[in-house]
Amino acid sequence: MVDVSTPTRRTPRTRTRTWAVVLAACVGQFLVVLDVSVVNVALPSMRTDLGLSTAGLQWVLNAYSIAFAGFMLLGGRAADIYGRKRMFLVGLGLFTAASLAGGLAQEGWQLLAARAAQGLGAAVLAPATLTLLTAAVPEGPARTKAIGTWMAVGAGGGATGGLIGGALTDTLSWRWVLLINVPVGVLVLTGAAIWLAEGRTGERSRIDLPGALLVTAGLASAAYGIVQTEESGWTAAATLVPLLGGLALLALFVLVEARTAKPLMPLRVLGARAVASANVAMFLTGSATFSMWYFMTVYAQNVLGYTALEAGLALMPTSVAIVVGSKCAPRLMARVGAKNLALVGTVVAAAGFGWQSTMTADGSYLTSICLPGVLMMTGTGLAATPLASLATSGAAPGESGLVSGLVNTSRTMGGALGLAVLSTVAAARTAGGTGPADLTAGYALAFRTSGSVLLGGLLLMILWLPRHRSVQD
């Protein structure tokens, strides 16, 4: 029988465990987001060493992102059913092992396979991090602050990827952008095994593996079709077959989910206005903002002549901006409300993308990289936290892992598809030209397109997002 008359004896242990959960969740999120962007500056070295084609280089990014996004719903559901701690350890273990395999790859296909396996591990790990955090911190200002920290750390992972990747590539080898995950992963695995407590919110049941395979194959096929437009155009069979096939698989996924007894994605979850609207908004903002790191990096290297390390250093103010925006968001949400802050952040980000689209082949660092980058990422940081908070606030207790996975899926899949589309847009504008002016024109059009997508997302948020005065409503 528990003695509830002396709660003070349990306070230190509870506080320590809460901080351990927050720390583990943030480090796990940092790793999975870092690996979306850390390889950007290492791509030229990978191409030289492994003989990758241009399309192969893009799949170094997309193999990770698509596996990450496609299996994240499965990972989120598994955390609800089989336990948050268990799935955290499984996901981090797979992610760490795949990082080792990728760092030791000797052929291009080995690297792509390792990146896909990394994405699968990240898909299990990422929703478990947010579920662990929301389960450990009660709803209200404390949870909003914790989510803001989680978002800031994740944003920092994406933002510092260029710097970390550039430093490792220039001083050691491209292989270390993957191998660096191994000692960090082992350390976090050990700490998590000792400090984290097990917990699950759903009943044990069979996982909807057919649903996971359908949604992943559908998303991957659609993304591949979009990538093919760069070489074959929109009307070629090489584009239409995978694109239409992917859409058909996604339609079949919806049909399966509507009829199966234990669906991976219960369609009723999207019946909650906060969940549905916030996830669509997250998808649109992710599709516009994710590719920013890629295009800024290649612009700095291919047009302005920066080294890998110099490109990473050039984006440091941008990295700081997204972390500051994410950390300021919880306090601002309490004053202006989640919806209003998401709108303000989107407007700021769109203004930054518009400014960046004026870039020139002989642009200065201050006006062509630093200031527009700071504006873009400050707005992104301000918008992301209220959207995530709105989505998770609409989740039922037994579906928190699922909704956490859905939030990450929306953002990451939006980013993967956005990169595929925007790369095609840039290539179409370049029309095969390789000179600085041609490349800059393509990159500028990509940023202009991203800004337009953000404005479309702004309109959607105005009309659809629920209005909450504060996170406590």
Side-chain angles (χ1 to χ4, degrees):
M1 189 173 181
V2 179
D3 180 7
V4 296
S5 64
T6 56
T8 55
R9 295 183 180 179
R10 297 184 62 184
T11 301
R13 180 177 177 82
T14 302
R15 183 179 296 124
T16 299
R17 177 152 289 172
T18 300
W19 278 107
V21 169
V22 173
L23 179 61
C26 288
V27 173
Q29 180 69 358
F30 179 85
L31 287 176
V32 299
V33 178
L34 173 72
D35 267 68
V36 175
S37 63
V38 73
V39 300
N40 283 340
V41 295
L43 291 176
S45 298
M46 291 177 175
R47 180 175 189 172
T48 300
D49 197 13
L50 300 180
L52 291 167
S53 64
T54 301
L57 281 183
Q58 189 164 327
W59 277 98
V60 173
L61 303 176
N62 282 339
Y64 179 86
S65 297
I66 292 172
F68 184 12
F71 280 103
M72 212 178 307
L73 290 177
L74 180 65
R77 196 60 179 152
D80 285 333
I81 295 173
Y82 298 116
R84 309 178 192 103
K85 176 181 177 179
R86 179 176 297 147
M87 300 317 298
F88 181 91
L89 296 176
V90 168
L92 184 56
L94 177 57
F95 180 87
T96 303
S99 297
L100 178 63
L104 299 177
Q106 299 300 312
E107 301 287 344
W109 68 266
Q110 294 172 350
L111 177 60
L112 296 183
R115 288 288 286 169
Q118 265 191 313
L120 177 58
V124 177
L125 175 60
T129 64
L130 185 53
T131 309
L132 280 168
L133 189 148
T134 55
V137 183
E139 189 168 357
R143 179 184 291 183
T144 303
K145 183 178 179 181
I147 291 177
T149 301
W150 179 84
M151 292 293 296
V153 170
T160 58
L163 176 61
I164 295 172
L168 292 172
T169 301
D170 277 1
T171 59
L172 296 172
S173 155
W174 67 262
R175 297 182 181 278
W176 280 96
V177 303
L178 300 174
L179 293 176
I180 192 65
N181 294 325
V182 177
V184 178
V186 170
L187 183 63
V188 177
L189 274 170
T190 303
I194 295 171
W195 285 103
L196 296 188
E198 188 55 276
R200 58 189 176 91
T201 55
E203 297 179 358
R204 282 192 179 273
S205 61
R206 183 172 57 87
I207 285 287
D208 179 21
L209 187 58
L213 294 176
L214 282 172
V215 70
T216 303
L219 292 171
S221 181
Y224 180 76
I226 293 171
V227 171
Q228 286 297 103
T229 62
E230 185 173 337
E231 295 182 2
S232 307
W234 285 96
T235 59
T239 298
L240 291 177
V241 170
L243 187 57
L244 295 178
L247 295 176
L249 288 172
L250 292 175
L252 183 58
F253 166 72
V254 173
L255 182 63
V256 168
E257 298 308 283
R259 297 191 175 190
T260 189
K262 296 291 184 180
L264 173 68
M265 175 65 216
L267 299 183
R268 68 177 184 280
V269 170
L270 296 178
R273 181 181 175 185
V275 174
S277 59
N279 273 281
V280 174
M282 191 75 80
F283 179 89
L284 291 175
T285 56
S287 68
T289 59
F290 171 83
S291 60
M292 174 266 182
W293 304 109
Y294 173 77
F295 285 112
M296 292 288 274
T297 300
V298 294
Y299 170 65
Q301 291 182 278
N302 295 343
V303 175
L304 300 183
Y306 289 19
T307 66
L309 180 57
E310 288 171 343
L313 289 172
L315 293 177
M316 277 305 295
T318 308
S319 306
V320 173
I322 193 169
V323 173
V324 170
S326 299
K327 287 297 292 179
C328 290
R331 185 177 301 173
L332 294 174
M333 281 172 60
R335 296 182 179 180
V336 303
K339 178 176 180 176
N340 288 338
L341 184 59
L343 297 178
V344 170
T346 304
V347 169
V348 172
F353 275 88
W355 185 355
Q356 187 64 57
S357 71
T358 65
M359 62 207 296
T360 61
D362 58 351
S364 69
Y365 167 69
L366 190 63
T367 58
S368 292
I369 292 181
C370 181
L371 295 181
V374 166
L375 204 58
M376 283 186 282
M377 290 298 101
T378 298
T380 300
L382 290 174
T385 297
L387 289 176
S389 296
L390 282 170
T392 55
S393 68
E399 295 173 341
S400 57
L402 171 64
V403 174
S404 298
L406 186 60
V407 169
N408 277 302
T409 297
S410 299
R411 181 175 56 181
T412 308
M413 200 63 238
L417 292 178
L419 177 61
V421 170
L422 292 170
S423 295
T424 301
V425 167
R429 178 64 179 84
T430 302
T434 58
D438 293 325
L439 293 174
T440 302
Y443 301 153
L445 181 58
F447 281 107
R448 195 153 48 247
T449 304
S450 294
S452 300
V453 171
L454 285 174
L455 292 178
L458 178 68
L459 178 61
L460 178 142
M461 292 180 213
I462 292 172
L463 298 176
W464 197 8
L465 279 181
R467 180 172 297 279
H468 292 279
R469 175 59 193 168
S470 73
V471 296
Q472 294 169 286
D473 291 349

